[in-house]
Structures are given as C-alpha cells and as structure tokens.
Amino acid sequence: MGCGASKAAVANDPLLLDGKGSGQKSGNGPSSNVFGLLSLTRGLTADGAITVGGSENSAGGMYGFDGKFGLAGGENGASGTGGAGVGKFGVGGGGKNGSSSIQPINSESSVKVVTVVRPLMDHEKGCEDIVKILPPGKIELPKKQNGSGTEDKYPFEFDRVVRVTSPEVSKELYAALVLPVVERFCQGFNATVLAYGQTGSGKTYTMGTSCNSKDVLAPDPTGVVPRSLKVLFSYIQIASQTYDIILKAQYVEIYNENVLDLLSTETSGKNGTSKLDIRERPDGDVYVEGACEINVKSREEVARILDQGNTKRSTAAHKMNSESSRSHAIVTLTMEQRAKISSAQKIPADLRFLLSKLNLVDLAGSERVKDTGASGDRFSEGVSINKGLMELGNVINALTEGKKRSHVPYRNSKLTRLLQDSLGGNSETLFVACVSPADKNHEQTLNTLRYASRARAIRNNLRLNNKLSPEEELEYLRTLVQQLQSENDQLKTRLAKTGL
C-alpha cells in the first residue's frame, strides 16, 4: 500500500489490524471528519472511531492505548471516556449540548518491555536452545552449567515475550506493542522504540534500520522502521484533511562517543566526520545542534534518506556477526500538526497545535572480546560501545531507585544524553530486548534480561505537546477571527439577498 491508498484500503490493510473492533462506528449518528489512529490502524471503517465534531447525537470516539480516548462528540453527543494505563483522558467533548471534559493531559506511563528471541543461527550449530517461554510475558533461563549461585533457574516477566519464527509473528508483535507507540506520536506525544541486546542478537533486523528502499516500500514491510513509516503516512493522508502537517527526518549515529550526521552531504567539517554538539532548549528538549533535518512528504523520500544514511553508518565483521553495527543509530521523526482554519472550530483548542518526536533507536550490541575476537579498531569500538551501554545501565539503575534517587547521570555519555526524554522523561517508550537462545550465550542473554527487567520499572512523565509560543498563538487566533468574520459577512450577504 502506497501513500495514495484509499480510506478503505487503509482500513482493510492486514498489517494494520489487531483483530479488534473491525466494522465498528462511534456514536448513534453519522460521524464527520475522521481524526486519530484508531480508524487508520485498528481496522475500523473509514467513518472512524474518533471524530472531530460528529453530527447531532453522535457520541465522542473511543481510542485506546490501554483504554479509551474520547476526542469529540456532536451537538448532543457525550465526550469519550478516559482509560487505564496512562491516566484518564477526556479531550474535547460534545458540541452545543454535549458534555465536555477537556483536561490537560499530563500523566505517568511506565516503560513497556518486550523480549524478542531469535532462532539459532548458522554459527550456533550444535548449541542447545535453553530459553523457555511461558506466554504471554514470562521467560526462563536455566542455571548455567558449572555456574555458582543457588538459583536453579532465572525467571523474568515482561509485557510480552515472543519467539520470532516467521514474518507473521513479527507482524503480530508490531500490532500489539509497537503500533500503540506510533499512535502516541501521531496524537502529539513524544515516543521512542529502542532495541537492546548483545551483538548478533537481531536488533538491526528487528528495527529495520538497515533496510534498503525496496524493503521500506514493500507492500508488507518488515522491521519497526518500515512498518512505522507505512502507518505514519497512512495517518498523514487522512489527517491532512484537518491539519497542515510538516514531517522532518533526522538520522545520526554515536560512534566512539562522537555524534555524526548520517544525512550530511559534506565530507568533512562539523556536519561531516567531525562531532556534533548536543544542546538543551529552555523547555528541556535535548537536540543535536547542526544535524540535518529534512522535510519529507512520502515514504519514498524517507526510504532515500535511510539509504543515504546507511551507506555512511559504521559497520564491520567479527566472529559473531558478519555485519556488526559499530555505532548506536537514531532515526528521529518530528511532526508538527496545525489545525486548518477551516477545521479549527471543530477541534478542541488543546488539539489545534501538536508537536511530537519519534525516536527509533538501534543500539550497537554489547560485546565480549573472547566471543568476537575483535582487535585493533574493532576492539576500540567495542570498548566505546560497552562504555555507552554501561552508562545507559547506570541511568536505568538511578531511575529505578525510587525515593532514594538523587541524581540521574544523563550527561555521562552522548547516548544517555540523547535518550534523556525517552527514559524518565516525556515519552511513551518501548524497550525491545533482543536475545539469543543458544546455551553458549547464556551469560549475555541473562545480562540482557536483567537489564530489560530494570528498564521496565522506569516511570515516564507523559504530556501532550500542544503549546504554541505566545506570538504564534496570537497570530493563529488573529487569522481565525478574520476567517470567522469573513464567513459572517458572507452569511449576512446571503440573508440580505433572500430578504430576511
């Protein structure tokens, strides 16, 4: 499905379904403009379950990450109800006689964690598969042979544990856990999907950051990044009826503790091989100063950008991976949505401007020299990778200390600095732990599961990014008043012609 697909095609696309609610409509009366991801990604009809200003008696729509998210009802329609998981939401309400429940959205959200177990690889022939999965969210490792300690097994519990045996399993995993994060991004919240694990555990495959243009544009793409792009542009296609939308893409890597711009066209200088600086805006937003941000209007344009970036990304071979990532890579999409003047009257004031950021993070894998056989530059890269991951672990530990926490060491590495919002900040975050089932990787797999278990205890402070600057808000309201005055003058002219 390309970017020009019809509403029906979007609604019936099997990639976007979760098997719930197909064919449902909201309210008791017909709906008006479609707004929101539920109608695009949950297999509902083109009328949608989220509407902006439905007709008389139409109730507010329902949307859920863990519950229901009501945007607006019609003249006598009630607003939608709040839901569990990220707080109770009631954004917008009925029209003339409808109930209203506009509230600022500012709530706590835990980091979600999914563990992905890949199949045994060719270089693991002769190894035993030691991972035991107890669906939907439990996983166990046995005690390591000749290991110390009293434990006879190591049990863990996450939001989901999946053994990836086919593309269908990957698709179901995406619909269940990644899709809600992308939906958050489209609603105006910051969001992050982050893949962690030992080298060769399948992180880059899971994220899809190494996909070429053909893979990204496939009718049924694989990987978090390609699938998210398909969902995102399906959303933009419909939401553009209500919003003016600007989408920007950025692609950077952290290599040997230097932040490099993978989209720079320069071959030297600050935007080429030299390091970029990380800055913080007055509102707390952390960004890479000088990194290219490219306006994109289609999946094709993003695919070309990913191709360009992947030709520059640092990779190399070692004993455990023929194409090992030697850097942490971050694809960042920033979306600005401004309600069209013609639609502003139908949209609650809190939803007329939305600015959100989506980080798609492919971390380099943790390494042990005795396993990788690395030397020279590969050894130095491994040391840098492990240092960044160690600092990430220190941040996770600090965030899960509860009331004892006094300082979170975000500034100790470039990686943790860039992920400051994603871990403990303003973001809906999904942590994907990728593991090998081979017995020879027992220690590395156990370390990954322990790492992920701590990450699951992190609580983020999620808030809707809907604030214009005072100057922008004044200009927007001035334009809106002019539009309403023009419509009023036209109505007076028509009434005068009819003699009323």
Side-chain angles (χ1 to χ4, degrees):
M1 180 189 69
C3 296
S6 66
K7 294 179 184 178
V10 172
N12 294 317
D13 187 341
L15 175 64
L16 308 181
L17 307 185
D18 71 350
K20 301 176 182 178
S22 181
Q24 293 179 2
K25 297 182 182 180
S26 66
N28 299 314
S31 302
S32 63
N33 296 334
V34 175
F35 175 84
L37 264 290
L38 193 58
S39 57
L40 302 179
T41 59
R42 297 298 172 115
L44 301 186
T45 64
D47 283 336
I50 297 181
T51 65
V52 174
S55 61
E56 185 173 352
N57 296 322
S58 66
M62 295 188 300
Y63 169 76
F65 181 68
D66 290 316
K68 299 175 180 178
F69 185 52
L71 285 183
E75 183 173 343
N76 297 305
S79 64
T81 58
V86 288
K88 293 188 176 297
F89 296 161
V91 180
K96 183 176 178 181
N97 300 311
S99 62
S100 178
S101 56
I102 298 177
Q103 301 172 20
I105 297 179
N106 190 350
S107 58
E108 199 173 56
S109 173
S110 62
V111 170
K112 308 295 188 298
V113 178
V114 57
T115 296
V116 177
V117 184
R118 65 157 172 78
L120 290 171
M121 308 298 286
D122 289 343
H123 67 270
E124 295 168 333
K125 286 181 178 178
C127 292
E128 179 186 354
D129 185 328
I130 58 171
V131 170
K132 181 180 180 181
I133 296 176
L134 304 172
K138 295 182 179 181
I139 183 171
E140 289 182 0
L141 290 182
K143 179 180 178 180
K144 187 175 181 180
Q145 289 185 351
N146 302 320
S148 60
T150 59
E151 300 90 345
D152 59 351
K153 62 182 178 181
Y154 297 94
F156 296 89
E157 184 169 0
F158 301 105
D159 294 279
R160 190 71 58 89
V161 178
V162 177
R163 189 184 295 274
V164 178
T165 55
S166 70
E168 287 301 315
V169 174
S170 297
K171 187 184 298 185
E172 292 169 4
L173 173 64
Y174 181 89
L177 286 167
V178 183
L179 181 58
V181 178
V182 179
E183 291 175 343
R184 275 282 180 256
F185 169 62
C186 292
Q187 294 165 3
F189 297 89
N190 293 340
T192 299
V193 181
L194 180 153
Y196 173 86
Q198 77 175 103
T199 184
S201 59
K203 299 178 302 299
T204 298
Y205 176 82
T206 299
M207 292 302 296
T209 47
S210 63
C211 289
N212 58 34
S213 293
K214 183 178 179 181
D215 297 328
V216 172
L217 300 175
D220 191 4
T222 60
V224 169
V225 174
R227 283 183 171 140
S228 297
L229 291 173
K230 182 175 182 179
V231 170
L232 177 57
F233 282 102
S234 295
Y235 166 79
I236 290 174
Q237 177 194 345
I238 305 299
S240 292
Q241 301 171 20
T242 304
Y243 287 94
D244 291 319
I245 298 176
I246 297 174
L247 182 68
K248 296 181 180 180
Q250 177 182 283
Y251 195 6
V252 301
E253 70 172 354
I254 302 173
Y255 175 74
N256 283 344
E257 272 301 286
N258 291 324
V259 182
L260 305 178
D261 186 358
L262 296 177
L263 301 184
S264 173
T265 57
E266 300 181 21
T267 57
S268 62
K270 187 171 184 179
N271 288 340
T273 56
S274 297
K275 66 178 182 179
L276 300 178
D277 294 321
I278 299 174
R279 305 293 188 193
E280 185 171 346
R281 296 188 174 92
D283 63 359
D285 181 45
V286 175
Y287 67 100
V288 180
E289 184 180 46
C292 293
E293 273 195 309
I294 300 176
N295 286 358
V296 289
K297 297 182 179 179
S298 67
R299 277 202 298 164
E300 289 78 5
E301 291 184 12
V302 182
R304 287 195 294 271
I305 285 173
L306 292 176
D307 276 348
Q308 175 185 336
N310 287 332
T311 61
K312 295 185 177 183
R313 189 177 177 192
S314 303
T315 61
H318 55 62
K319 288 169 60 177
M320 294 187 67
N321 192 345
S322 61
E323 195 172 345
S324 172
S325 300
R326 313 310 294 160
S327 66
H328 309 298
I330 304 175
V331 177
T332 301
L333 300 173
T334 303
M335 183 162 60
E336 178 184 299
Q337 304 179 74
R338 291 176 183 259
K340 295 178 182 290
I341 297 301
S342 58
S343 305
Q345 298 175 65
K346 304 174 183 178
I347 300 175
D350 284 352
L351 300 177
R352 290 173 185 165
F353 173 78
L354 302 170
L355 179 64
S356 52
K357 181 167 63 176
L358 174 64
N359 288 321
L360 301 170
V361 185
D362 176 13
L363 297 177
S366 57
E367 298 185 359
R368 294 191 304 183
V369 176
K370 69 176 185 179
D371 294 330
T372 63
S375 61
D377 289 343
R378 302 292 85 78
F379 175 79
S380 298
E381 291 164 353
V383 170
S384 178
I385 289 168
N386 288 341
K387 179 182 181 299
L389 295 175
M390 179 188 73
E391 295 297 347
L392 181 60
N394 290 338
V395 165
I396 291 173
N397 287 338
L399 289 169
T400 55
E401 287 177 354
K403 294 181 179 180
K404 296 185 295 181
R405 184 179 77 193
S406 58
H407 170 69
V408 180
Y410 289 115
R411 294 177 180 270
N412 285 4
S413 77
K414 300 294 175 58
L415 176 62
T416 52
R417 188 79 171 108
L418 283 179
L419 295 180
Q420 185 168 328
D421 248 358
S422 303
L423 299 171
N426 173 29
S427 176
E428 186 73 62
T429 298
L430 175 66
F431 189 106
V432 183
C434 299
V435 300
S436 161
D439 56 352
K440 74 174 185 178
N441 293 322
H442 183 286
E443 184 177 345
Q444 289 279 65
T445 296
L446 180 59
N447 289 340
T448 297
L449 296 177
R450 285 171 170 166
Y451 204 98
S453 183
R454 292 196 301 269
R456 193 173 182 234
I458 295 174
R459 305 291 293 180
N460 287 353
N461 297 305
L462 190 65
R463 67 177 183 271
L464 188 67
N465 304 308
N466 62 349
K467 301 301 181 185
L468 288 164
S469 68
E471 295 78 12
E472 289 176 319
E473 188 168 6
L474 181 61
E475 180 61 29
Y476 182 85
L477 292 174
R478 184 181 290 116
T479 304
L480 179 59
V481 169
Q482 291 174 350
Q483 175 74 23
L484 294 174
Q485 287 176 338
S486 175
E487 292 178 1
N488 190 45
D489 291 340
Q490 292 174 14
L491 179 59
K492 287 181 179 179
T493 299
R494 288 199 298 270
L495 289 174
K497 289 180 179 179
T498 59
L500 295 177

